[in-house]
Amino acid sequence: MSVAERLQQLGIALPPVAIPAAAYVPFVQTGSLVFISGHIAKKPDGQPWVGQLGVNMATEEGQAAARSIAIELMGTLSAAVGGDLSRVKRIVKVMSLVNSAPTFTEQHLVTNGCSELFGEVFGPEVGAHARSAFGVAQIPRGACVEIELIAEIHA
């Protein structure tokens, strides 16, 4: 099954590339690598998904936020590869920042919301990736999660 077919089966429509909110570009390609800038979690209305894990958000809600970011990241990645996600050779690395209380220790579980969707969409050979998940004191606009991505693409 192709990536496009998996997305359709999952009922996922990829969004267009978001306009940067500061002095950066959405993605940079160098050689066969595409670096996707950090995307913050957004609610369906496009507003930031605000909250702090361990204070006013549970792990499950954080996972849902991370999953929503995965969809946004795939939209940007799709733009980077000219709309053809079959050009993705490997999701190489995911870095996740989780807005969390000092006592919250489930950043890795929150980030699974993103990682697991990449596995579903791209399959285990392409979607499995290296990963870091950090707890941070705050994220721009008060968002609960921010995730960036590195992918390798076929020429």
Side-chain angles (χ1 to χ4, degrees):
M1 186 180 299
S2 73
V3 172
E5 290 169 333
R6 284 189 200 111
L7 287 169
Q8 185 175 14
Q9 183 182 45
L10 292 167
I12 295 172
L14 297 180
V17 176
I19 297 169
Y24 64 91
V25 293
F27 62 87
V28 171
Q29 180 179 345
T30 182
S32 64
L33 296 177
V34 176
F35 294 77
I36 308 290
S37 293
H39 285 49
I40 63 169
K42 294 178 188 168
K43 295 273 190 166
D45 66 3
Q47 293 303 308
W49 197 327
V50 175
Q52 190 171 47
L53 281 291
V55 174
N56 58 4
M57 289 183 76
T59 300
E60 295 75 20
E61 187 178 3
Q63 287 172 333
R67 185 181 190 282
S68 75
I69 295 172
I71 294 168
E72 295 277 335
L73 287 166
M74 286 188 283
T76 301
L77 182 56
S78 179
V81 297
D84 183 8
L85 286 175
S86 69
R87 290 187 55 210
V88 175
K89 185 175 184 178
R90 184 77 190 249
I91 302 297
V92 176
K93 173 89 187 230
V94 165
M95 188 182 80
S96 174
L97 304 173
V98 180
N99 183 349
S100 50
T103 56
F104 185 79
T105 60
E106 295 185 341
Q107 291 84 0
H108 61 297
L109 299 176
V110 168
T111 306
N112 279 349
C114 175
S115 295
E116 290 170 358
L117 184 58
F118 286 154
E120 285 182 64
V121 170
F122 292 101
E125 295 299 316
V126 175
H129 51 271
R131 187 178 90 178
S132 300
F134 300 96
V136 297
Q138 197 50 264
I139 292 175
R141 302 181 70 194
C144 56
V145 183
E146 179 175 351
I147 302 175
E148 65 179 46
L149 169 71
I150 302 170
E152 182 181 12
I153 61 171
H154 296 284

